[in-house]
Amino acid sequence: MPAPERVPPGPVTTAPAEPAPAGSVTALLTEGELTVRGRIPEASNAVLHCTVVHQGRTAACVYKPVAGEQPLWDFPDGTLAQREVAAYEVCAALGWELIPPTVLREGPYGPGMVQLWIDQAEEEPGDPGESGGSGGAPEAADAAPGPVPVGPLLALADAEQPAPEGWRAIGLAEVPGGGTALLVHADDPRLRRLAVLDAVINNSDRKGGHLLTSADGRLHGIDHGVTFHTDDKLRTLLWGWAGEPLPEEAVAALGRLAAALGEDAPLTTRLAALLTPAEVAALRDRVAALLASGTHPVPGGEWPAIPWPPV
């Protein structure tokens, strides 16, 4: 498929659409003094670890300058930071605290996205959320009676058996040595909310590494730069509920979001500074479609359903 003509980015609006409450995390991230402490080298775009200080409060955060974004063939240049903020706004409108507080602001390297840093919980050995890494896990999967963790809320299980109780099947995965294992994710209500959110924002890159669990047990999703495309690009690991009825709480949350996306609603005004009119219209259409079907979406077949690498 030929690459579409690249659309030059529009101006980045860094001022908040409405004043942040005094003393809030949003105010801290928006108005605080930002100091870069280092760069996260694994990321494909520039991701900087920073501290932010405001009125005696200090927090760690991530700063992704627009200038550090790598061009993509299917997304307009210089728009990933805005999409991350839009994802946070939509998640908040659903009533779910799944995405860390995220703002758009000026920083040491120009405008960019700033998001509260999440310290991951230290998992106990054998905990389903333990990250087993890539070494040794497949061999262990052949002998272990249960799933072998390979990341937060992800595991490898026996490919010849149905998904174990408490887990949902994603698909088959090749493992070192030429074997095959069943990749599964936890049957967890926090993940199920995230699956609904991903369908709403049309997330094309929900990998296992984008799932963080904090010490208080809360699940956080990060890296939402490739979202809100007008075409169906949903790529996720969270297909375990595909085709099943949406939980009542998800239906209620989608109803709240539909109301918040009214033509003159505050959320619509904020999103208009972050997305194109066509992208906002497509967002409304996805919410309406989910409410009409009452079910989790299924892979469309025209786009790879699972991102690579998945973990």
Side-chain angles (χ1 to χ4, degrees):
M1 177 182 298
E5 182 180 354
R6 194 169 300 284
V7 180
V12 176
T13 304
T14 55
E18 57 185 26
S24 69
V25 174
T26 303
L28 171 64
L29 295 175
T30 303
E31 303 170 20
E33 180 180 356
L34 199 62
T35 302
V36 176
R37 300 300 182 186
R39 180 169 180 169
I40 300 174
E42 298 85 1
S44 56
N45 297 308
V47 181
L48 305 177
H49 184 232
C50 303
T51 54
V52 61
V53 180
H54 180 60
Q55 296 182 346
R57 301 176 66 200
T58 303
C61 61
V62 169
Y63 164 47
K64 298 182 181 180
V66 172
E69 296 178 3
Q70 296 296 317
L72 299 171
W73 73 269
D74 54 347
F75 282 83
D77 292 351
T79 66
L80 305 190
Q82 289 106 304
R83 296 172 193 279
E84 295 235 36
V85 179
Y88 167 71
E89 293 281 358
V90 168
C91 185
L94 284 164
W96 295 335
E97 296 181 350
L98 293 170
I99 300 178
T102 311
V103 303
L104 199 64
R105 59 163 289 175
E106 282 288 337
Y109 298 101
M113 179 278 277
V114 174
Q115 184 176 81
L116 187 69
W117 179 269
I118 301 297
D119 285 317
Q120 290 200 71
E122 293 185 7
E123 306 291 353
E124 296 295 330
D127 189 292
E130 179 184 350
S131 177
S134 59
E139 289 78 10
D142 295 333
V148 176
V150 293
L153 304 172
L154 299 170
L156 292 173
D158 188 342
E160 303 298 325
Q161 300 293 329
E165 183 177 358
W167 297 87
R168 293 281 182 146
I170 302 169
L172 297 176
E174 293 183 3
V175 296
T180 302
L182 181 66
L183 185 61
V184 296
H185 66 67
D187 190 358
D188 187 306
R190 301 170 301 167
L191 280 184
R192 193 163 190 173
R193 294 185 196 108
L194 198 59
V196 174
L197 173 65
D198 284 344
V200 167
I201 65 177
N202 198 15
N203 191 355
S204 66
D205 195 32
R206 174 62 70 203
K207 298 177 180 176
H210 300 164
L211 306 174
L212 306 179
T213 304
S214 54
D216 60 4
R218 291 169 58 188
L219 176 68
H220 304 268
I222 62 169
D223 287 345
H224 298 100
V226 283
T227 50
F228 295 103
H229 203 286
T230 54
D231 296 336
D232 180 12
K233 288 184 177 286
L234 182 59
R235 291 196 308 169
T236 176
L237 286 175
L238 306 180
W239 289 115
W241 300 281
E244 294 188 10
L246 292 167
E248 290 184 7
E249 65 140 353
V251 174
L254 290 167
R256 290 192 297 269
L257 178 57
L261 288 170
E263 288 294 338
D264 299 319
L267 175 62
T268 302
T269 301
R270 294 196 293 275
L271 292 178
L274 302 167
L275 305 171
T276 68
E279 289 166 344
V280 175
L283 168 63
R284 288 196 187 99
D285 289 344
R286 288 192 297 272
V287 174
L290 285 167
L291 285 169
S293 71
T295 60
H296 286 272
V298 297
E302 297 182 1
W303 181 256
I306 297 176
W308 187 262
V311 180

mmCIF file of all heavy atoms in Angstrom, residues 228-267:
data_model
loop_
_atom_site.group_PDB
_atom_site.id
_atom_site.type_symbol
_atom_site.label_atom_id
_atom_site.label_comp_id
_atom_site.label_asym_id
_atom_site.label_seq_id
_atom_site.Cartn_x
_atom_site.Cartn_y
_atom_site.Cartn_z
ATOM 1 N N PHE A 228 -6.682 7.291 17.745
ATOM 2 C CA PHE A 228 -7.655 8.219 17.168
ATOM 3 C C PHE A 228 -7.581 8.330 15.642
ATOM 4 O O PHE A 228 -8.067 9.302 15.070
ATOM 5 C CB PHE A 228 -7.528 9.619 17.794
ATOM 6 C CG PHE A 228 -7.862 9.668 19.258
ATOM 7 C CD1 PHE A 228 -6.854 9.738 20.212
ATOM 8 C CD2 PHE A 228 -9.184 9.625 19.681
ATOM 9 C CE1 PHE A 228 -7.152 9.773 21.559
ATOM 10 C CE2 PHE A 228 -9.492 9.669 21.032
ATOM 11 C CZ PHE A 228 -8.472 9.735 21.977
ATOM 12 N N HIS A 229 -7.000 7.332 14.980
ATOM 13 C CA HIS A 229 -7.026 7.353 13.521
ATOM 14 C C HIS A 229 -8.472 7.195 13.054
ATOM 15 O O HIS A 229 -9.293 6.563 13.727
ATOM 16 C CB HIS A 229 -6.157 6.232 12.962
ATOM 17 C CG HIS A 229 -5.669 6.474 11.574
ATOM 18 N ND1 HIS A 229 -6.489 6.378 10.473
ATOM 19 C CD2 HIS A 229 -4.442 6.823 11.105
ATOM 20 C CE1 HIS A 229 -5.792 6.647 9.380
ATOM 21 N NE2 HIS A 229 -4.543 6.924 9.726
ATOM 22 N N THR A 230 -8.786 7.756 11.888
ATOM 23 C CA THR A 230 -10.150 7.614 11.364
ATOM 24 C C THR A 230 -10.409 6.227 10.782
ATOM 25 O O THR A 230 -11.563 5.798 10.700
ATOM 26 C CB THR A 230 -10.419 8.680 10.288
ATOM 27 O OG1 THR A 230 -9.402 8.594 9.287
ATOM 28 C CG2 THR A 230 -10.422 10.078 10.893
ATOM 29 N N ASP A 231 -9.342 5.514 10.382
ATOM 30 C CA ASP A 231 -9.480 4.131 9.929
ATOM 31 C C ASP A 231 -9.405 3.176 11.115
ATOM 32 O O ASP A 231 -8.803 3.498 12.146
ATOM 33 C CB ASP A 231 -8.375 3.773 8.937
ATOM 34 C CG ASP A 231 -8.442 4.584 7.657
ATOM 35 O OD1 ASP A 231 -9.540 5.077 7.334
ATOM 36 O OD2 ASP A 231 -7.397 4.724 6.995
ATOM 37 N N ASP A 232 -9.986 1.986 10.970
ATOM 38 C CA ASP A 232 -9.925 0.979 12.028
ATOM 39 C C ASP A 232 -8.503 0.430 12.102
ATOM 40 O O ASP A 232 -8.045 -0.263 11.198
ATOM 41 C CB ASP A 232 -10.920 -0.144 11.743
ATOM 42 C CG ASP A 232 -10.897 -1.233 12.806
ATOM 43 O OD1 ASP A 232 -10.275 -0.999 13.870
ATOM 44 O OD2 ASP A 232 -11.481 -2.300 12.580
ATOM 45 N N LYS A 233 -7.796 0.742 13.191
ATOM 46 C CA LYS A 233 -6.418 0.283 13.361
ATOM 47 C C LYS A 233 -6.203 -0.390 14.718
ATOM 48 O O LYS A 233 -5.075 -0.452 15.202
ATOM 49 C CB LYS A 233 -5.451 1.465 13.214
ATOM 50 C CG LYS A 233 -5.314 1.970 11.782
ATOM 51 C CD LYS A 233 -4.277 3.070 11.703
ATOM 52 C CE LYS A 233 -4.065 3.534 10.283
ATOM 53 N NZ LYS A 233 -3.300 2.536 9.494
ATOM 54 N N LEU A 234 -7.258 -0.897 15.321
ATOM 55 C CA LEU A 234 -7.129 -1.478 16.650
ATOM 56 C C LEU A 234 -6.189 -2.680 16.625
ATOM 57 O O LEU A 234 -6.458 -3.688 15.975
ATOM 58 C CB LEU A 234 -8.507 -1.898 17.168
ATOM 59 C CG LEU A 234 -8.548 -2.479 18.589
ATOM 60 C CD1 LEU A 234 -8.013 -1.475 19.610
ATOM 61 C CD2 LEU A 234 -9.968 -2.895 18.950
ATOM 62 N N ARG A 235 -5.073 -2.543 17.327
ATOM 63 C CA ARG A 235 -4.104 -3.638 17.513
ATOM 64 C C ARG A 235 -3.825 -3.726 19.000
ATOM 65 O O ARG A 235 -3.359 -2.767 19.620
ATOM 66 C CB ARG A 235 -2.795 -3.380 16.758
ATOM 67 C CG ARG A 235 -2.903 -3.449 15.270
ATOM 68 C CD ARG A 235 -1.539 -3.571 14.618
ATOM 69 N NE ARG A 235 -0.622 -2.535 15.072
ATOM 70 C CZ ARG A 235 0.683 -2.528 14.817
ATOM 71 N NH1 ARG A 235 1.238 -3.505 14.148
ATOM 72 N NH2 ARG A 235 1.447 -1.542 15.243
ATOM 73 N N THR A 236 -4.085 -4.880 19.574
ATOM 74 C CA THR A 236 -4.003 -5.000 21.022
ATOM 75 C C THR A 236 -3.762 -6.447 21.424
ATOM 76 O O THR A 236 -4.065 -7.372 20.673
ATOM 77 C CB THR A 236 -5.311 -4.489 21.665
ATOM 78 O OG1 THR A 236 -5.269 -4.691 23.082
ATOM 79 C CG2 THR A 236 -6.529 -5.202 21.101
ATOM 80 N N LEU A 237 -3.224 -6.610 22.620
ATOM 81 C CA LEU A 237 -3.141 -7.936 23.223
ATOM 82 C C LEU A 237 -4.441 -8.322 23.919
ATOM 83 O O LEU A 237 -4.615 -9.480 24.292
ATOM 84 C CB LEU A 237 -2.012 -7.959 24.256
ATOM 85 C CG LEU A 237 -0.585 -7.972 23.723
ATOM 86 C CD1 LEU A 237 0.388 -7.875 24.883
ATOM 87 C CD2 LEU A 237 -0.316 -9.232 22.927
ATOM 88 N N LEU A 238 -5.339 -7.386 24.107
ATOM 89 C CA LEU A 238 -6.497 -7.613 24.973
ATOM 90 C C LEU A 238 -7.723 -8.058 24.178
ATOM 91 O O LEU A 238 -8.797 -7.453 24.244
ATOM 92 C CB LEU A 238 -6.797 -6.332 25.764
ATOM 93 C CG LEU A 238 -5.609 -5.778 26.563
ATOM 94 C CD1 LEU A 238 -6.003 -4.512 27.299
ATOM 95 C CD2 LEU A 238 -5.073 -6.836 27.541
ATOM 96 N N TRP A 239 -7.565 -9.175 23.452
ATOM 97 C CA TRP A 239 -8.669 -9.721 22.670
ATOM 98 C C TRP A 239 -9.428 -10.803 23.433
ATOM 99 O O TRP A 239 -10.315 -11.456 22.862
ATOM 100 C CB TRP A 239 -8.158 -10.317 21.365
ATOM 101 C CG TRP A 239 -7.695 -9.319 20.352
ATOM 102 C CD1 TRP A 239 -6.418 -9.153 19.885
ATOM 103 C CD2 TRP A 239 -8.486 -8.356 19.649
ATOM 104 N NE1 TRP A 239 -6.369 -8.146 18.944
ATOM 105 C CE2 TRP A 239 -7.623 -7.639 18.777
ATOM 106 C CE3 TRP A 239 -9.853 -8.027 19.671
ATOM 107 C CZ2 TRP A 239 -8.087 -6.621 17.947
ATOM 108 C CZ3 TRP A 239 -10.297 -7.012 18.837
ATOM 109 C CH2 TRP A 239 -9.415 -6.325 17.991
ATOM 110 N N GLY A 240 -9.114 -11.019 24.686
ATOM 111 C CA GLY A 240 -9.692 -12.148 25.407
ATOM 112 C C GLY A 240 -11.201 -12.111 25.554
ATOM 113 O O GLY A 240 -11.828 -13.145 25.794
ATOM 114 N N TRP A 241 -11.804 -10.924 25.435
ATOM 115 C CA TRP A 241 -13.263 -10.799 25.571
ATOM 116 C C TRP A 241 -13.934 -10.515 24.239
ATOM 117 O O TRP A 241 -15.110 -10.136 24.199
ATOM 118 C CB TRP A 241 -13.595 -9.679 26.556
ATOM 119 C CG TRP A 241 -13.027 -9.908 27.923
ATOM 120 C CD1 TRP A 241 -13.516 -10.718 28.908
ATOM 121 C CD2 TRP A 241 -11.824 -9.325 28.450
ATOM 122 N NE1 TRP A 241 -12.702 -10.674 30.013
ATOM 123 C CE2 TRP A 241 -11.651 -9.828 29.764
ATOM 124 C CE3 TRP A 241 -10.884 -8.440 27.963
ATOM 125 C CZ2 TRP A 241 -10.591 -9.479 30.572
ATOM 126 C CZ3 TRP A 241 -9.806 -8.070 28.757
ATOM 127 C CH2 TRP A 241 -9.668 -8.584 30.055
ATOM 128 N N ALA A 242 -13.231 -10.685 23.134
ATOM 129 C CA ALA A 242 -13.768 -10.350 21.807
ATOM 130 C C ALA A 242 -15.119 -11.014 21.573
ATOM 131 O O ALA A 242 -15.277 -12.223 21.770
ATOM 132 C CB ALA A 242 -12.787 -10.769 20.719
ATOM 133 N N GLY A 243 -16.105 -10.228 21.175
ATOM 134 C CA GLY A 243 -17.435 -10.734 20.867
ATOM 135 C C GLY A 243 -18.331 -10.937 22.068
ATOM 136 O O GLY A 243 -19.523 -11.227 21.897
ATOM 137 N N GLU A 244 -17.812 -10.796 23.272
ATOM 138 C CA GLU A 244 -18.637 -11.002 24.471
ATOM 139 C C GLU A 244 -19.371 -9.713 24.842
ATOM 140 O O GLU A 244 -18.933 -8.612 24.509
ATOM 141 C CB GLU A 244 -17.759 -11.456 25.639
ATOM 142 C CG GLU A 244 -17.136 -12.816 25.448
ATOM 143 C CD GLU A 244 -16.440 -13.312 26.707
ATOM 144 O OE1 GLU A 244 -16.616 -12.685 27.776
ATOM 145 O OE2 GLU A 244 -15.724 -14.323 26.614
ATOM 146 N N PRO A 245 -20.495 -9.841 25.554
ATOM 147 C CA PRO A 245 -21.231 -8.636 25.972
ATOM 148 C C PRO A 245 -20.371 -7.736 26.855
ATOM 149 O O PRO A 245 -19.593 -8.217 27.681
ATOM 150 C CB PRO A 245 -22.421 -9.205 26.750
ATOM 151 C CG PRO A 245 -22.598 -10.596 26.229
ATOM 152 C CD PRO A 245 -21.215 -11.086 25.913
ATOM 153 N N LEU A 246 -20.533 -6.444 26.671
ATOM 154 C CA LEU A 246 -19.827 -5.482 27.513
ATOM 155 C C LEU A 246 -20.388 -5.534 28.934
ATOM 156 O O LEU A 246 -21.598 -5.695 29.128
ATOM 157 C CB LEU A 246 -20.003 -4.073 26.963
ATOM 158 C CG LEU A 246 -19.334 -3.764 25.619
ATOM 159 C CD1 LEU A 246 -19.872 -2.446 25.067
ATOM 160 C CD2 LEU A 246 -17.824 -3.708 25.779
ATOM 161 N N PRO A 247 -19.540 -5.386 29.950
ATOM 162 C CA PRO A 247 -20.056 -5.305 31.313
ATOM 163 C C PRO A 247 -20.956 -4.080 31.481
ATOM 164 O O PRO A 247 -20.814 -3.083 30.758
ATOM 165 C CB PRO A 247 -18.781 -5.164 32.165
ATOM 166 C CG PRO A 247 -17.653 -5.590 31.288
ATOM 167 C CD PRO A 247 -18.073 -5.282 29.885
ATOM 168 N N GLU A 248 -21.860 -4.149 32.442
ATOM 169 C CA GLU A 248 -22.779 -3.026 32.671
ATOM 170 C C GLU A 248 -22.025 -1.742 32.974
ATOM 171 O O GLU A 248 -22.426 -0.655 32.544
ATOM 172 C CB GLU A 248 -23.739 -3.368 33.818
ATOM 173 C CG GLU A 248 -24.753 -4.454 33.479
ATOM 174 C CD GLU A 248 -25.736 -4.684 34.606
ATOM 175 O OE1 GLU A 248 -25.708 -3.905 35.590
ATOM 176 O OE2 GLU A 248 -26.539 -5.637 34.512
ATOM 177 N N GLU A 249 -20.922 -1.845 33.730
ATOM 178 C CA GLU A 249 -20.174 -0.633 34.074
ATOM 179 C C GLU A 249 -19.567 -0.005 32.826
ATOM 180 O O GLU A 249 -19.472 1.221 32.728
ATOM 181 C CB GLU A 249 -19.077 -0.935 35.088
ATOM 182 C CG GLU A 249 -17.967 -1.842 34.604
ATOM 183 C CD GLU A 249 -16.597 -1.384 35.108
ATOM 184 O OE1 GLU A 249 -16.494 -0.310 35.714
ATOM 185 O OE2 GLU A 249 -15.627 -2.119 34.864
ATOM 186 N N ALA A 250 -19.175 -0.821 31.841
ATOM 187 C CA ALA A 250 -18.627 -0.283 30.602
ATOM 188 C C ALA A 250 -19.709 0.418 29.792
ATOM 189 O O ALA A 250 -19.470 1.484 29.205
ATOM 190 C CB ALA A 250 -17.975 -1.393 29.792
ATOM 191 N N VAL A 251 -20.897 -0.168 29.743
ATOM 192 C CA VAL A 251 -22.009 0.457 29.027
ATOM 193 C C VAL A 251 -22.340 1.811 29.661
ATOM 194 O O VAL A 251 -22.561 2.811 28.957
ATOM 195 C CB VAL A 251 -23.234 -0.465 29.019
ATOM 196 C CG1 VAL A 251 -24.444 0.249 28.407
ATOM 197 C CG2 VAL A 251 -22.935 -1.753 28.244
ATOM 198 N N ALA A 252 -22.350 1.862 30.995
ATOM 199 C CA ALA A 252 -22.626 3.120 31.679
ATOM 200 C C ALA A 252 -21.539 4.154 31.386
ATOM 201 O O ALA A 252 -21.825 5.330 31.147
ATOM 202 C CB ALA A 252 -22.747 2.884 33.185
ATOM 203 N N ALA A 253 -20.287 3.707 31.389
ATOM 204 C CA ALA A 253 -19.175 4.622 31.119
ATOM 205 C C ALA A 253 -19.250 5.150 29.690
ATOM 206 O O ALA A 253 -19.007 6.340 29.437
ATOM 207 C CB ALA A 253 -17.851 3.911 31.361
ATOM 208 N N LEU A 254 -19.586 4.286 28.734
ATOM 209 C CA LEU A 254 -19.710 4.721 27.345
ATOM 210 C C LEU A 254 -20.863 5.713 27.181
ATOM 211 O O LEU A 254 -20.779 6.654 26.375
ATOM 212 C CB LEU A 254 -19.919 3.515 26.440
ATOM 213 C CG LEU A 254 -18.704 2.599 26.264
ATOM 214 C CD1 LEU A 254 -19.119 1.282 25.611
ATOM 215 C CD2 LEU A 254 -17.618 3.282 25.438
ATOM 216 N N GLY A 255 -21.915 5.511 27.936
ATOM 217 C CA GLY A 255 -23.018 6.471 27.906
ATOM 218 C C GLY A 255 -22.587 7.840 28.405
ATOM 219 O O GLY A 255 -22.965 8.873 27.838
ATOM 220 N N ARG A 256 -21.783 7.855 29.479
ATOM 221 C CA ARG A 256 -21.259 9.135 29.985
ATOM 222 C C ARG A 256 -20.379 9.806 28.935
ATOM 223 O O ARG A 256 -20.448 11.025 28.728
ATOM 224 C CB ARG A 256 -20.454 8.908 31.264
ATOM 225 C CG ARG A 256 -21.274 8.516 32.480
ATOM 226 C CD ARG A 256 -20.446 8.606 33.748
ATOM 227 N NE ARG A 256 -19.325 7.678 33.750
ATOM 228 C CZ ARG A 256 -19.394 6.432 34.242
ATOM 229 N NH1 ARG A 256 -20.535 5.978 34.722
ATOM 230 N NH2 ARG A 256 -18.335 5.638 34.223
ATOM 231 N N LEU A 257 -19.540 9.012 28.275
ATOM 232 C CA LEU A 257 -18.653 9.571 27.271
ATOM 233 C C LEU A 257 -19.446 10.118 26.085
ATOM 234 O O LEU A 257 -19.138 11.203 25.573
ATOM 235 C CB LEU A 257 -17.666 8.510 26.793
ATOM 236 C CG LEU A 257 -16.690 8.932 25.696
ATOM 237 C CD1 LEU A 257 -15.863 10.141 26.125
ATOM 238 C CD2 LEU A 257 -15.777 7.772 25.306
ATOM 239 N N ALA A 258 -20.470 9.392 25.645
ATOM 240 C CA ALA A 258 -21.295 9.876 24.530
ATOM 241 C C ALA A 258 -21.907 11.231 24.860
ATOM 242 O O ALA A 258 -21.930 12.142 24.014
ATOM 243 C CB ALA A 258 -22.381 8.851 24.200
ATOM 244 N N ALA A 259 -22.390 11.382 26.090
ATOM 245 C CA ALA A 259 -22.963 12.662 26.503
ATOM 246 C C ALA A 259 -21.899 13.753 26.552
ATOM 247 O O ALA A 259 -22.156 14.911 26.199
ATOM 248 C CB ALA A 259 -23.639 12.509 27.859
ATOM 249 N N ALA A 260 -20.683 13.381 26.981
ATOM 250 C CA ALA A 260 -19.598 14.363 27.100
ATOM 251 C C ALA A 260 -19.058 14.801 25.746
ATOM 252 O O ALA A 260 -18.324 15.791 25.665
ATOM 253 C CB ALA A 260 -18.454 13.782 27.940
ATOM 254 N N LEU A 261 -19.417 14.072 24.678
ATOM 255 C CA LEU A 261 -18.940 14.402 23.340
ATOM 256 C C LEU A 261 -19.956 15.207 22.544
ATOM 257 O O LEU A 261 -19.898 15.273 21.311
ATOM 258 C CB LEU A 261 -18.594 13.116 22.569
ATOM 259 C CG LEU A 261 -17.321 12.392 23.022
ATOM 260 C CD1 LEU A 261 -17.216 11.026 22.361
ATOM 261 C CD2 LEU A 261 -16.081 13.233 22.710
ATOM 262 N N GLY A 262 -20.901 15.840 23.247
ATOM 263 C CA GLY A 262 -21.846 16.724 22.584
ATOM 264 C C GLY A 262 -21.136 17.868 21.872
ATOM 265 O O GLY A 262 -19.996 18.220 22.202
ATOM 266 N N GLU A 263 -21.797 18.470 20.910
ATOM 267 C CA GLU A 263 -21.166 19.472 20.046
ATOM 268 C C GLU A 263 -20.523 20.616 20.825
ATOM 269 O O GLU A 263 -19.440 21.080 20.486
ATOM 270 C CB GLU A 263 -22.206 20.031 19.064
ATOM 271 C CG GLU A 263 -22.603 19.052 17.976
ATOM 272 C CD GLU A 263 -21.455 18.732 17.020
ATOM 273 O OE1 GLU A 263 -20.508 19.546 16.936
ATOM 274 O OE2 GLU A 263 -21.507 17.674 16.368
ATOM 275 N N ASP A 264 -21.177 21.104 21.852
ATOM 276 C CA ASP A 264 -20.660 22.263 22.589
ATOM 277 C C ASP A 264 -20.152 21.897 23.984
ATOM 278 O O ASP A 264 -19.968 22.771 24.827
ATOM 279 C CB ASP A 264 -21.756 23.332 22.716
ATOM 280 C CG ASP A 264 -22.218 23.832 21.355
ATOM 281 O OD1 ASP A 264 -21.353 24.031 20.483
ATOM 282 O OD2 ASP A 264 -23.442 24.005 21.170
ATOM 283 N N ALA A 265 -19.922 20.608 24.223
ATOM 284 C CA ALA A 265 -19.492 20.158 25.545
ATOM 285 C C ALA A 265 -18.022 20.509 25.786
ATOM 286 O O ALA A 265 -17.232 20.614 24.842
ATOM 287 C CB ALA A 265 -19.703 18.652 25.674
ATOM 288 N N PRO A 266 -17.630 20.694 27.053
ATOM 289 C CA PRO A 266 -16.228 21.035 27.356
ATOM 290 C C PRO A 266 -15.229 20.024 26.817
ATOM 291 O O PRO A 266 -14.163 20.403 26.339
ATOM 292 C CB PRO A 266 -16.211 21.092 28.888
ATOM 293 C CG PRO A 266 -17.611 21.434 29.275
ATOM 294 C CD PRO A 266 -18.474 20.751 28.267
ATOM 295 N N LEU A 267 -15.540 18.716 26.896
ATOM 296 C CA LEU A 267 -14.610 17.715 26.380
ATOM 297 C C LEU A 267 -14.404 17.890 24.882
ATOM 298 O O LEU A 267 -13.269 17.800 24.387
ATOM 299 C CB LEU A 267 -15.127 16.306 26.671
ATOM 300 C CG LEU A 267 -14.293 15.157 26.076
ATOM 301 C CD1 LEU A 267 -12.880 15.153 26.641
ATOM 302 C CD2 LEU A 267 -14.969 13.812 26.312
#
